[in-house]
PDB file of all heavy atoms in Angstrom:
ATOM      1  N   ARG A 923      21.121  76.672 -18.275  1.00  0.00           N
ATOM      2  CA  ARG A 923      19.996  77.410 -17.705  1.00  0.00           C
ATOM      3  C   ARG A 923      19.388  78.387 -18.711  1.00  0.00           C
ATOM      4  O   ARG A 923      18.206  78.702 -18.652  1.00  0.00           O
ATOM      5  CB  ARG A 923      20.456  78.184 -16.470  1.00  0.00           C
ATOM      6  CG  ARG A 923      20.979  77.289 -15.370  1.00  0.00           C
ATOM      7  CD  ARG A 923      21.535  78.121 -14.220  1.00  0.00           C
ATOM      8  NE  ARG A 923      20.507  78.911 -13.583  1.00  0.00           N
ATOM      9  CZ  ARG A 923      19.677  78.436 -12.666  1.00  0.00           C
ATOM     10  NH1 ARG A 923      19.758  77.184 -12.307  1.00  0.00           N
ATOM     11  NH2 ARG A 923      18.776  79.215 -12.119  1.00  0.00           N
ATOM     12  N   THR A 924      20.230  78.908 -19.621  1.00  0.00           N
ATOM     13  CA  THR A 924      19.730  79.960 -20.504  1.00  0.00           C
ATOM     14  C   THR A 924      18.655  79.447 -21.452  1.00  0.00           C
ATOM     15  O   THR A 924      17.803  80.193 -21.884  1.00  0.00           O
ATOM     16  CB  THR A 924      20.876  80.567 -21.333  1.00  0.00           C
ATOM     17  OG1 THR A 924      21.491  79.527 -22.076  1.00  0.00           O
ATOM     18  CG2 THR A 924      21.888  81.224 -20.444  1.00  0.00           C
ATOM     19  N   ARG A1003     -10.336  79.987 -29.709  1.00  0.00           N
ATOM     20  CA  ARG A1003     -10.122  80.204 -28.271  1.00  0.00           C
ATOM     21  C   ARG A1003     -11.237  81.017 -27.634  1.00  0.00           C
ATOM     22  O   ARG A1003     -11.854  80.565 -26.672  1.00  0.00           O
ATOM     23  CB  ARG A1003      -8.792  80.920 -28.058  1.00  0.00           C
ATOM     24  CG  ARG A1003      -7.604  80.026 -27.910  1.00  0.00           C
ATOM     25  CD  ARG A1003      -6.520  80.947 -27.422  1.00  0.00           C
ATOM     26  NE  ARG A1003      -5.185  80.418 -27.568  1.00  0.00           N
ATOM     27  CZ  ARG A1003      -4.118  81.177 -27.348  1.00  0.00           C
ATOM     28  NH1 ARG A1003      -4.245  82.444 -27.022  1.00  0.00           N
ATOM     29  NH2 ARG A1003      -2.935  80.669 -27.459  1.00  0.00           N
ATOM     30  N   SER A1032      -6.155  78.809 -23.873  1.00  0.00           N
ATOM     31  CA  SER A1032      -5.077  78.034 -24.498  1.00  0.00           C
ATOM     32  C   SER A1032      -5.174  76.580 -24.071  1.00  0.00           C
ATOM     33  O   SER A1032      -4.240  76.031 -23.505  1.00  0.00           O
ATOM     34  CB  SER A1032      -3.714  78.566 -24.076  1.00  0.00           C
ATOM     35  OG  SER A1032      -3.603  79.889 -24.430  1.00  0.00           O
ATOM     36  N   SER A1114      -1.256  75.996 -24.413  1.00  0.00           N
ATOM     37  CA  SER A1114      -0.251  76.341 -23.406  1.00  0.00           C
ATOM     38  C   SER A1114       0.441  75.051 -22.960  1.00  0.00           C
ATOM     39  O   SER A1114      -0.175  74.220 -22.309  1.00  0.00           O
ATOM     40  CB  SER A1114      -0.941  77.020 -22.223  1.00  0.00           C
ATOM     41  OG  SER A1114      -0.101  77.038 -21.104  1.00  0.00           O
ATOM     42  N   PRO A1115       1.711  74.844 -23.345  1.00  0.00           N
ATOM     43  CA  PRO A1115       2.321  73.521 -23.203  1.00  0.00           C
ATOM     44  C   PRO A1115       3.123  73.324 -21.926  1.00  0.00           C
ATOM     45  O   PRO A1115       3.889  74.188 -21.508  1.00  0.00           O
ATOM     46  CB  PRO A1115       3.259  73.476 -24.412  1.00  0.00           C
ATOM     47  CG  PRO A1115       3.687  74.890 -24.592  1.00  0.00           C
ATOM     48  CD  PRO A1115       2.624  75.790 -24.008  1.00  0.00           C
ATOM     49  N   LYS A1116       2.957  72.190 -21.298  1.00  0.00           N
ATOM     50  CA  LYS A1116       3.794  71.799 -20.166  1.00  0.00           C
ATOM     51  C   LYS A1116       4.240  70.367 -20.397  1.00  0.00           C
ATOM     52  O   LYS A1116       3.567  69.615 -21.102  1.00  0.00           O
ATOM     53  CB  LYS A1116       2.993  71.852 -18.864  1.00  0.00           C
ATOM     54  CG  LYS A1116       2.274  73.170 -18.629  1.00  0.00           C
ATOM     55  CD  LYS A1116       2.807  73.912 -17.435  1.00  0.00           C
ATOM     56  CE  LYS A1116       2.359  75.343 -17.412  1.00  0.00           C
ATOM     57  NZ  LYS A1116       1.063  75.550 -16.808  1.00  0.00           N
ATOM     58  N   ASP A1127      -2.664  73.850 -18.066  1.00  0.00           N
ATOM     59  CA  ASP A1127      -1.645  72.813 -17.866  1.00  0.00           C
ATOM     60  C   ASP A1127      -1.918  71.648 -18.803  1.00  0.00           C
ATOM     61  O   ASP A1127      -2.572  70.678 -18.440  1.00  0.00           O
ATOM     62  CB  ASP A1127      -1.661  72.351 -16.407  1.00  0.00           C
ATOM     63  CG  ASP A1127      -1.568  73.526 -15.454  1.00  0.00           C
ATOM     64  OD1 ASP A1127      -0.655  74.339 -15.639  1.00  0.00           O
ATOM     65  OD2 ASP A1127      -2.415  73.642 -14.558  1.00  0.00           O
ATOM     66  N   PHE A1140      13.427  74.602 -30.501  1.00  0.00           N
ATOM     67  CA  PHE A1140      14.623  74.439 -31.330  1.00  0.00           C
ATOM     68  C   PHE A1140      15.378  75.759 -31.483  1.00  0.00           C
ATOM     69  O   PHE A1140      16.600  75.787 -31.471  1.00  0.00           O
ATOM     70  CB  PHE A1140      14.258  73.860 -32.702  1.00  0.00           C
ATOM     71  CG  PHE A1140      15.440  73.321 -33.436  1.00  0.00           C
ATOM     72  CD1 PHE A1140      15.924  72.059 -33.153  1.00  0.00           C
ATOM     73  CD2 PHE A1140      16.107  74.081 -34.384  1.00  0.00           C
ATOM     74  CE1 PHE A1140      17.037  71.554 -33.793  1.00  0.00           C
ATOM     75  CE2 PHE A1140      17.223  73.582 -35.034  1.00  0.00           C
ATOM     76  CZ  PHE A1140      17.682  72.314 -34.739  1.00  0.00           C
ATOM     77  N   GLY A1141      14.618  76.858 -31.612  1.00  0.00           N
ATOM     78  CA  GLY A1141      15.258  78.153 -31.820  1.00  0.00           C
ATOM     79  C   GLY A1141      16.219  78.512 -30.703  1.00  0.00           C
ATOM     80  O   GLY A1141      17.289  79.042 -30.953  1.00  0.00           O
TER      81      GLY A1141
ATOM     82  N   GLY B 624      19.226  80.687 -30.376  1.00  0.00           N
ATOM     83  CA  GLY B 624      19.406  80.226 -31.751  1.00  0.00           C
ATOM     84  C   GLY B 624      20.492  81.022 -32.461  1.00  0.00           C
ATOM     85  O   GLY B 624      21.290  80.470 -33.222  1.00  0.00           O
ATOM     86  N   LYS B 627      23.814  79.801 -31.208  1.00  0.00           N
ATOM     87  CA  LYS B 627      24.076  78.460 -31.752  1.00  0.00           C
ATOM     88  C   LYS B 627      24.548  78.550 -33.203  1.00  0.00           C
ATOM     89  O   LYS B 627      25.556  77.942 -33.576  1.00  0.00           O
ATOM     90  CB  LYS B 627      22.796  77.627 -31.665  1.00  0.00           C
ATOM     91  CG  LYS B 627      22.898  76.239 -32.262  1.00  0.00           C
ATOM     92  CD  LYS B 627      21.621  75.452 -32.039  1.00  0.00           C
ATOM     93  CE  LYS B 627      20.429  76.119 -32.707  1.00  0.00           C
ATOM     94  NZ  LYS B 627      19.170  75.481 -32.396  1.00  0.00           N
ATOM     95  N   SER B 724       6.608  80.076 -23.850  1.00  0.00           N
ATOM     96  CA  SER B 724       6.865  78.638 -23.885  1.00  0.00           C
ATOM     97  C   SER B 724       8.237  78.355 -24.488  1.00  0.00           C
ATOM     98  O   SER B 724       8.836  77.326 -24.215  1.00  0.00           O
ATOM     99  CB  SER B 724       5.783  77.931 -24.688  1.00  0.00           C
ATOM    100  OG  SER B 724       5.687  78.470 -25.992  1.00  0.00           O
ATOM    101  N   ALA B 747      14.690  79.655  -7.785  1.00  0.00           N
ATOM    102  CA  ALA B 747      15.088  79.052  -9.062  1.00  0.00           C
ATOM    103  C   ALA B 747      16.415  79.588  -9.588  1.00  0.00           C
ATOM    104  O   ALA B 747      17.043  78.958 -10.430  1.00  0.00           O
ATOM    105  CB  ALA B 747      13.988  79.271 -10.093  1.00  0.00           C
ATOM    106  N   GLY B 752      16.270  80.867 -19.157  1.00  0.00           N
ATOM    107  CA  GLY B 752      15.631  81.232 -20.420  1.00  0.00           C
ATOM    108  C   GLY B 752      14.126  81.069 -20.396  1.00  0.00           C
ATOM    109  O   GLY B 752      13.398  81.703 -21.148  1.00  0.00           O
ATOM    110  N   GLY B 759      -1.167  76.147 -13.595  1.00  0.00           N
ATOM    111  CA  GLY B 759      -1.995  77.275 -13.994  1.00  0.00           C
ATOM    112  C   GLY B 759      -1.274  78.318 -14.819  1.00  0.00           C
ATOM    113  O   GLY B 759      -1.887  79.253 -15.324  1.00  0.00           O
ATOM    114  N   MET B 760       0.063  78.173 -14.957  1.00  0.00           N
ATOM    115  CA  MET B 760       0.819  79.140 -15.744  1.00  0.00           C
ATOM    116  C   MET B 760       0.413  79.022 -17.213  1.00  0.00           C
ATOM    117  O   MET B 760       0.253  77.936 -17.743  1.00  0.00           O
ATOM    118  CB  MET B 760       2.305  78.847 -15.570  1.00  0.00           C
ATOM    119  CG  MET B 760       3.224  79.880 -16.168  1.00  0.00           C
ATOM    120  SD  MET B 760       4.929  79.357 -15.914  1.00  0.00           S
ATOM    121  CE  MET B 760       5.452  80.471 -14.648  1.00  0.00           C
ATOM    122  N   LEU B 762       1.308  79.497 -20.952  1.00  0.00           N
ATOM    123  CA  LEU B 762       2.511  79.605 -21.782  1.00  0.00           C
ATOM    124  C   LEU B 762       2.134  79.903 -23.227  1.00  0.00           C
ATOM    125  O   LEU B 762       1.291  79.229 -23.808  1.00  0.00           O
ATOM    126  CB  LEU B 762       3.306  78.301 -21.720  1.00  0.00           C
ATOM    127  CG  LEU B 762       3.765  77.875 -20.328  1.00  0.00           C
ATOM    128  CD1 LEU B 762       4.295  76.465 -20.346  1.00  0.00           C
ATOM    129  CD2 LEU B 762       4.825  78.816 -19.818  1.00  0.00           C
ATOM    130  N   GLN B 763       2.785  80.918 -23.795  1.00  0.00           N
ATOM    131  CA  GLN B 763       2.509  81.299 -25.179  1.00  0.00           C
ATOM    132  C   GLN B 763       3.800  81.362 -25.964  1.00  0.00           C
ATOM    133  O   GLN B 763       4.859  81.650 -25.414  1.00  0.00           O
ATOM    134  CB  GLN B 763       1.811  82.665 -25.226  1.00  0.00           C
ATOM    135  CG  GLN B 763       0.498  82.714 -24.457  1.00  0.00           C
ATOM    136  CD  GLN B 763      -0.576  81.843 -25.078  1.00  0.00           C
ATOM    137  OE1 GLN B 763      -0.654  81.694 -26.296  1.00  0.00           O
ATOM    138  NE2 GLN B 763      -1.397  81.234 -24.239  1.00  0.00           N
TER     139      GLN B 763
END
Side-chain angles (χ1 to χ4, degrees):
Chain A
R923 299 175 64 82
T924 58
R1003 271 192 197 171
S1032 301
S1114 164
K1116 308 245 165 85
D1127 308 309
F1140 196 81
Chain B
K627 177 176 61 186
S724 56
M760 188 182 253
L762 301 169
Q763 301 293 326

